[in-house]
Amino acid sequence: MKAVFPGSFCPITIGHEDLVSRASKLFDEVIVLIMLNPEKEYIFSVEDRLSMAEKVFHKYSNVKIMTYEGLLADFVCENSIDVIIKGLRMPSDFEYENQMAMVNKKLSNGIETVFLIADEKFRSISSSMVRQIAFLHGEIKYFVPNEICDIILKKYKQD
Ligand code: PNS
């Protein structure tokens, strides 16, 4: 089975890595899909997000990285994806993701979304929190994979 794990990954957190690692054991192939939304302003460029994903996920042999601009449902149809994977950290995630799963199912003629419950250790971690800590010069190493600490710190030194 071929699964896709979509997100902004701006930046990747240790919570994302844990979910991808768990998904890689459940599915034959997992595509980490870096979504590009022209209406959204990302702190990290697509090149930076790709480079971070390559550094973190190269150790998982059945994980592939791709980028996509458009509807997730269209990507799913164009790439013969069997399942969308999403992580759930708290009840409010479910409220939103439940709606997204229904919309994606409708738009793609039936794609299923499989939810992985975030491990307790990672429930409080989000990319937006990491961005805020980095901006205020706090310690990010507890929240992001080691391989990408330098890229994140460099970005916030530049700005
Ligand atoms: O990491 P994020 O920002 O929480 O990821 C959200 C993402 C990219 C998975 C979500 O916004 C998405 O699927 N965007 C693609 C556009 C789309 O298909 N939207 C659903 C119909 S409104």
Side-chain angles (χ1 to χ4, degrees):
M1 286 250 266
K2 196 169 163 183
V4 65
F5 183 66
S8 302
F9 303 109
C10 196
I12 295 166
T13 67
I14 51 173
H16 289 133
E17 184 178 1
D18 185 59
L19 290 168
V20 171
S21 162
R22 288 164 55 196
S24 74
K25 292 175 192 140
L26 297 172
F27 299 99
D28 300 310
E29 185 181 347
V30 177
I31 297 173
V32 170
L33 187 65
I34 302 172
M35 296 301 290
L36 314 174
N37 178 352
E39 287 179 341
K40 205 165 157 179
E41 271 199 33
Y42 299 101
I43 296 277
F44 292 91
S45 65
V46 60
E47 291 80 13
D48 277 346
R49 288 186 284 149
L50 252 176
S51 155
M52 288 190 278
E54 275 156 12
K55 281 180 195 295
V56 174
F57 297 120
H58 75 96
K59 53 185 173 285
Y60 302 95
S61 59
N62 62 339
V63 173
K64 199 170 147 186
I65 300 149
M66 292 177 76
T67 60
Y68 191 74
E69 185 177 322
L71 284 174
L72 181 59
D74 289 340
F75 177 87
V76 157
C77 297
E78 290 161 16
N79 292 276
S80 313
I81 301 291
D82 300 298
V83 166
I84 296 171
I85 307 160
K86 291 287 186 88
L88 292 180
R89 291 165 301 182
M90 52 194 86
S92 58
D93 283 349
F94 177 75
E95 302 271 319
Y96 178 67
E97 294 297 347
N98 182 30
Q99 188 187 8
M100 290 287 271
M102 284 191 281
V103 170
N104 285 326
K105 193 170 200 170
K106 183 80 188 162
L107 291 177
S108 65
N109 217 359
I111 189 78
E112 296 288 359
T113 299
V114 168
F115 293 106
L116 296 181
I117 301 293
D119 188 281
E120 239 177 323
K121 296 192 287 288
F122 306 119
R123 290 224 178 123
S124 59
I125 303 174
S126 67
S127 298
S128 61
M129 196 196 66
V130 170
R131 292 196 297 270
Q132 196 174 357
I133 294 168
F135 181 71
L136 297 170
H137 309 293
E139 193 56 84
I140 59 164
K141 71 177 180 197
Y142 306 119
F143 308 110
V144 300
N146 286 335
E147 301 92 322
I148 62 168
C149 272
D150 285 354
I151 297 182
I152 298 170
L153 294 175
K154 201 168 143 203
K155 176 83 199 158
Y156 282 89
K157 265 191 197 134
Q158 271 169 12
D159 297 340

